[in-house]
Amino acid sequence: LVTATQDSAAAYRVRIRGVRDLAGNRLRGRQGVAEFHGSNRPDTLKPTIDFEKLPDQARDVAVDDTIRLTADKAVMRQPIEQGISFVDSLKRPVSYRSLWWNSIALNLLPSSPLQYGMKYKIQVRLDSVRDFSGRSFHDSTLVRRFTTIEQSRLSSMQGAASDSSPNGMGKIYITATNIIDRSVSPKTISLDAPGNFLLDGLVEGSY
Protein backbone atom coordinates (compact mmCIF):
# COMPACT_ATOMS: atom_id res chain seq x y z
CA LEU A 1 0.00 0.00 0.00
CA VAL A 2 1.30 3.47 -0.92
CA THR A 3 -0.44 6.16 1.09
CA ALA A 4 -0.99 9.89 0.73
CA THR A 5 0.99 12.19 3.01
CA GLN A 6 0.49 11.07 6.61
CA ASP A 7 -0.06 13.13 9.76
CA SER A 8 2.81 12.46 12.18
CA ALA A 9 0.53 13.17 15.15
CA ALA A 10 -2.10 10.64 14.10
CA ALA A 11 -2.46 6.89 14.56
CA TYR A 12 -3.72 4.75 11.70
CA ARG A 13 -5.42 1.38 11.41
CA VAL A 14 -5.32 -0.86 8.33
CA ARG A 15 -8.00 -3.52 8.06
CA ILE A 16 -8.13 -6.31 5.45
CA ARG A 17 -11.41 -8.06 4.69
CA GLY A 18 -12.50 -10.79 2.31
CA VAL A 19 -9.03 -12.31 1.82
CA ARG A 20 -8.78 -16.10 1.55
CA ASP A 21 -5.82 -18.45 1.25
CA LEU A 22 -5.54 -21.04 -1.52
CA ALA A 23 -7.60 -23.49 0.53
CA GLY A 24 -10.43 -20.97 0.91
CA ASN A 25 -9.78 -20.08 4.58
CA ARG A 26 -10.50 -16.50 5.64
CA LEU A 27 -8.24 -14.35 7.82
CA ARG A 28 -9.13 -14.74 11.48
CA GLY A 29 -9.94 -11.82 13.77
CA ARG A 30 -6.97 -9.56 14.43
CA GLN A 31 -4.82 -11.18 11.76
CA GLY A 32 -6.31 -8.75 9.25
CA VAL A 33 -5.67 -5.61 11.32
CA ALA A 34 -2.53 -3.52 11.82
CA GLU A 35 -2.03 -0.21 13.62
CA PHE A 36 0.81 2.28 13.25
CA HIS A 37 1.75 5.90 13.92
CA GLY A 38 2.01 8.24 10.97
CA SER A 39 5.15 9.86 9.64
CA ASN A 40 5.41 12.93 7.43
CA ARG A 41 9.03 12.27 6.58
CA PRO A 42 9.63 11.10 3.00
CA ASP A 43 11.06 7.65 2.36
CA THR A 44 14.49 8.29 0.84
CA LEU A 45 15.87 4.74 1.04
CA LYS A 46 16.52 3.01 -2.27
CA PRO A 47 15.50 -0.66 -2.52
CA THR A 48 18.15 -3.36 -2.43
CA ILE A 49 17.84 -6.93 -3.66
CA ASP A 50 19.86 -10.12 -3.31
CA PHE A 51 19.76 -13.81 -4.15
CA GLU A 52 18.47 -16.03 -1.36
CA LYS A 53 20.70 -19.01 -0.44
CA LEU A 54 22.72 -18.69 -3.65
CA PRO A 55 26.21 -17.28 -3.00
CA ASP A 56 28.33 -16.14 -5.91
CA GLN A 57 30.36 -18.96 -7.51
CA ALA A 58 28.10 -21.57 -5.86
CA ARG A 59 28.73 -25.15 -6.97
CA ASP A 60 26.63 -28.32 -7.09
CA VAL A 61 23.39 -26.39 -7.61
CA ALA A 62 20.48 -28.71 -8.40
CA VAL A 63 19.32 -28.59 -12.03
CA ASP A 64 15.69 -28.27 -10.93
CA ASP A 65 16.31 -25.71 -8.18
CA THR A 66 14.23 -22.54 -7.84
CA ILE A 67 16.20 -19.30 -7.80
CA ARG A 68 14.78 -16.66 -5.47
CA LEU A 69 15.45 -12.93 -5.35
CA THR A 70 14.40 -11.00 -2.25
CA ALA A 71 14.16 -7.22 -1.90
CA ASP A 72 14.19 -5.27 1.37
CA LYS A 73 11.03 -3.35 0.44
CA ALA A 74 8.19 -3.61 -2.05
CA VAL A 75 9.31 -3.14 -5.67
CA MET A 76 7.59 -2.71 -9.03
CA ARG A 77 7.34 -6.01 -10.87
CA GLN A 78 7.57 -5.20 -14.57
CA PRO A 79 10.83 -3.18 -14.52
CA ILE A 80 12.79 -5.85 -12.64
CA GLU A 81 11.48 -8.64 -14.87
CA GLN A 82 12.81 -6.68 -17.86
CA GLY A 83 16.13 -6.05 -16.11
CA ILE A 84 17.16 -9.71 -15.60
CA SER A 85 19.58 -11.60 -17.86
CA PHE A 86 19.98 -15.38 -17.41
CA VAL A 87 22.53 -17.17 -19.65
CA ASP A 88 24.70 -20.29 -19.64
CA SER A 89 28.47 -20.40 -20.16
CA LEU A 90 27.93 -20.42 -23.95
CA LYS A 91 25.95 -17.16 -23.58
CA ARG A 92 22.70 -18.88 -24.57
CA PRO A 93 19.62 -17.35 -22.90
CA VAL A 94 17.87 -19.57 -20.34
CA SER A 95 14.10 -19.66 -20.68
CA TYR A 96 12.29 -19.17 -17.38
CA ARG A 97 9.10 -17.76 -15.91
CA SER A 98 8.74 -15.30 -13.06
CA LEU A 99 6.64 -16.20 -10.03
CA TRP A 100 6.06 -13.49 -7.44
CA TRP A 101 5.16 -14.62 -3.91
CA ASN A 102 4.58 -10.97 -2.95
CA SER A 103 6.06 -7.57 -3.82
CA ILE A 104 9.46 -8.40 -2.33
CA ALA A 105 10.09 -12.06 -3.31
CA LEU A 106 10.58 -13.18 -6.92
CA ASN A 107 11.20 -16.79 -7.96
CA LEU A 108 12.87 -17.63 -11.28
CA LEU A 109 11.61 -21.01 -12.52
CA PRO A 110 13.55 -22.43 -15.50
CA SER A 111 11.18 -23.72 -18.19
CA SER A 112 13.11 -27.00 -18.26
CA PRO A 113 15.80 -28.47 -15.97
CA LEU A 114 19.22 -26.84 -16.30
CA GLN A 115 22.08 -28.83 -17.79
CA TYR A 116 24.29 -30.91 -15.52
CA GLY A 117 27.78 -29.52 -14.90
CA MET A 118 27.03 -26.24 -16.68
CA LYS A 119 28.05 -22.76 -15.57
CA TYR A 120 25.37 -20.07 -15.48
CA LYS A 121 25.25 -16.34 -14.91
CA ILE A 122 22.33 -14.17 -13.81
CA GLN A 123 22.56 -10.38 -13.97
CA VAL A 124 20.09 -7.91 -12.48
CA ARG A 125 20.30 -4.25 -13.49
CA LEU A 126 19.81 -2.39 -10.22
CA ASP A 127 18.21 0.58 -11.97
CA SER A 128 15.33 -1.82 -12.73
CA VAL A 129 14.78 -2.50 -9.01
CA ARG A 130 12.41 0.40 -8.24
CA ASP A 131 10.17 1.03 -5.28
CA PHE A 132 6.70 2.47 -5.78
CA SER A 133 8.12 6.01 -5.67
CA GLY A 134 10.52 5.22 -8.51
CA ARG A 135 13.72 5.20 -6.44
CA SER A 136 16.54 2.89 -7.56
CA PHE A 137 20.31 2.55 -7.75
CA HIS A 138 21.98 3.53 -11.02
CA ASP A 139 24.98 2.27 -12.99
CA SER A 140 25.25 -0.93 -10.98
CA THR A 141 24.56 -4.62 -11.58
CA LEU A 142 23.98 -7.58 -9.28
CA VAL A 143 25.66 -10.72 -10.65
CA ARG A 144 25.45 -14.37 -9.62
CA ARG A 145 27.56 -17.11 -11.18
CA PHE A 146 26.96 -20.73 -10.30
CA THR A 147 27.63 -24.25 -11.56
CA THR A 148 25.11 -27.07 -11.55
CA ILE A 149 25.99 -30.47 -10.13
CA GLU A 150 27.58 -33.19 -12.27
CA GLN A 151 25.12 -35.98 -13.02
CA SER A 152 27.69 -38.60 -11.94
CA ARG A 153 27.42 -37.30 -8.34
CA LEU A 154 23.70 -37.99 -8.07
CA SER A 155 21.97 -41.01 -6.59
CA SER A 156 18.41 -42.10 -5.84
CA MET A 157 16.30 -43.57 -3.04
CA GLN A 158 13.31 -45.85 -3.36
CA GLY A 159 10.88 -47.49 -1.00
CA ALA A 160 7.22 -48.01 -0.21
CA ALA A 161 4.83 -45.82 1.75
CA SER A 162 2.01 -47.33 3.78
CA ASP A 163 -0.92 -45.95 5.76
CA SER A 164 -1.95 -47.61 9.02
CA SER A 165 -5.40 -46.07 8.78
CA PRO A 166 -7.73 -47.83 6.31
CA ASN A 167 -9.74 -44.62 5.96
CA GLY A 168 -6.76 -42.37 5.41
CA MET A 169 -7.31 -39.44 3.04
CA GLY A 170 -5.17 -36.84 1.34
CA LYS A 171 -1.73 -36.86 -0.23
CA ILE A 172 1.34 -38.52 1.27
CA TYR A 173 4.46 -36.32 1.33
CA ILE A 174 7.94 -37.87 1.46
CA THR A 175 10.96 -35.65 2.14
CA ALA A 176 14.65 -36.61 1.95
CA THR A 177 16.96 -34.37 4.02
CA ASN A 178 20.75 -34.59 3.91
CA ILE A 179 21.82 -34.88 7.56
CA ILE A 180 25.52 -34.22 6.87
CA ASP A 181 25.53 -31.34 4.40
CA ARG A 182 22.89 -28.80 5.43
CA SER A 183 23.55 -26.72 2.31
CA VAL A 184 21.81 -29.41 0.22
CA SER A 185 18.14 -28.52 -0.23
CA PRO A 186 15.66 -31.19 0.96
CA LYS A 187 13.69 -32.92 -1.78
CA THR A 188 9.99 -33.68 -1.43
CA ILE A 189 7.62 -35.75 -3.54
CA SER A 190 3.92 -36.51 -3.06
CA LEU A 191 1.84 -39.65 -3.57
CA ASP A 192 -1.90 -39.75 -4.10
CA ALA A 193 -2.11 -43.10 -2.31
CA PRO A 194 0.17 -45.56 -0.45
CA GLY A 195 2.61 -47.40 -2.70
CA ASN A 196 6.11 -47.42 -4.13
CA PHE A 197 8.08 -44.20 -4.50
CA LEU A 198 11.33 -43.05 -6.09
CA LEU A 199 13.37 -40.03 -5.04
CA ASP A 200 15.96 -39.37 -7.73
CA GLY A 201 18.45 -36.57 -8.35
CA LEU A 202 19.79 -36.73 -4.77
CA VAL A 203 23.32 -35.59 -4.00
CA GLU A 204 25.30 -38.51 -2.59
CA GLY A 205 25.27 -38.50 1.21
CA SER A 206 23.39 -39.61 4.31
CA TYR A 207 19.63 -39.01 4.42
Side-chain angles (χ1 to χ4, degrees):
L1 300 177
V2 180
T3 73
T5 302
Q6 300 171 14
D7 183 349
S8 60
Y12 295 86
R13 177 182 293 119
V14 178
R15 186 184 301 276
I16 301 174
R17 294 189 179 96
V19 176
R20 297 175 182 265
D21 64 15
L22 297 179
N25 301 307
R26 291 182 179 274
L27 285 174
R28 292 186 299 175
R30 299 289 295 178
Q31 289 180 332
V33 179
E35 297 177 352
F36 65 95
H37 290 282
S39 173
N40 57 9
R41 292 182 298 178
D43 179 7
T44 59
L45 296 177
K46 298 176 181 179
T48 61
I49 198 166
D50 205 351
F51 289 88
E52 188 174 306
K53 298 180 180 179
L54 183 66
D56 195 29
Q57 304 294 349
R59 303 185 63 83
D60 296 338
V61 175
V63 297
D64 57 354
D65 213 354
T66 296
I67 298 166
R68 171 173 285 196
L69 287 155
T70 304
D72 63 347
K73 61 191 302 188
V75 294
M76 301 171 66
R77 299 185 179 190
Q78 185 175 2
I80 187 173
E81 289 180 3
Q82 296 174 344
I84 296 176
S85 168
F86 191 173
V87 298
D88 64 16
S89 60
L90 301 178
K91 298 184 178 181
R92 297 175 300 194
V94 175
S95 175
Y96 66 90
R97 66 186 180 96
S98 301
L99 176 62
W100 289 86
W101 284 109
N102 47 47
S103 292
I104 65 171
L106 168 62
N107 285 347
L108 306 183
L109 306 177
S111 301
S112 58
L114 302 177
Q115 295 185 46
Y116 291 106
M118 175 67 76
K119 294 182 179 179
Y120 291 89
K121 181 170 72 172
I122 303 175
Q123 295 185 97
V124 183
R125 294 197 334 268
L126 294 186
D127 61 0
S128 71
V129 184
R130 306 173 194 165
D131 65 14
F132 285 91
S133 296
R135 283 178 289 267
S136 66
F137 287 94
H138 298 286
D139 303 321
S140 186
T141 304
L142 174 65
V143 179
R144 271 298 178 277
R145 301 174 180 84
F146 65 92
T147 305
T148 52
I149 192 168
E150 296 284 352
Q151 190 172 13
S152 60
R153 294 194 55 228
L154 297 177
S155 60
S156 62
M157 181 187 303
Q158 61 183 354
S162 61
D163 189 345
S164 59
S165 172
N167 299 318
M169 299 177 62
K171 289 183 177 292
I172 299 173
Y173 293 91
I174 301 170
T175 299
T177 302
N178 193 308
I179 60 176
I180 302 299
D181 187 354
R182 296 297 184 180
S183 67
V184 176
S185 299
K187 186 161 187 175
T188 300
I189 61 172
S190 64
L191 302 177
D192 293 326
N196 296 329
F197 68 85
L198 172 66
L199 278 161
D200 57 3
L202 297 175
V203 179
E204 292 180 342
S206 299
Y207 290 84

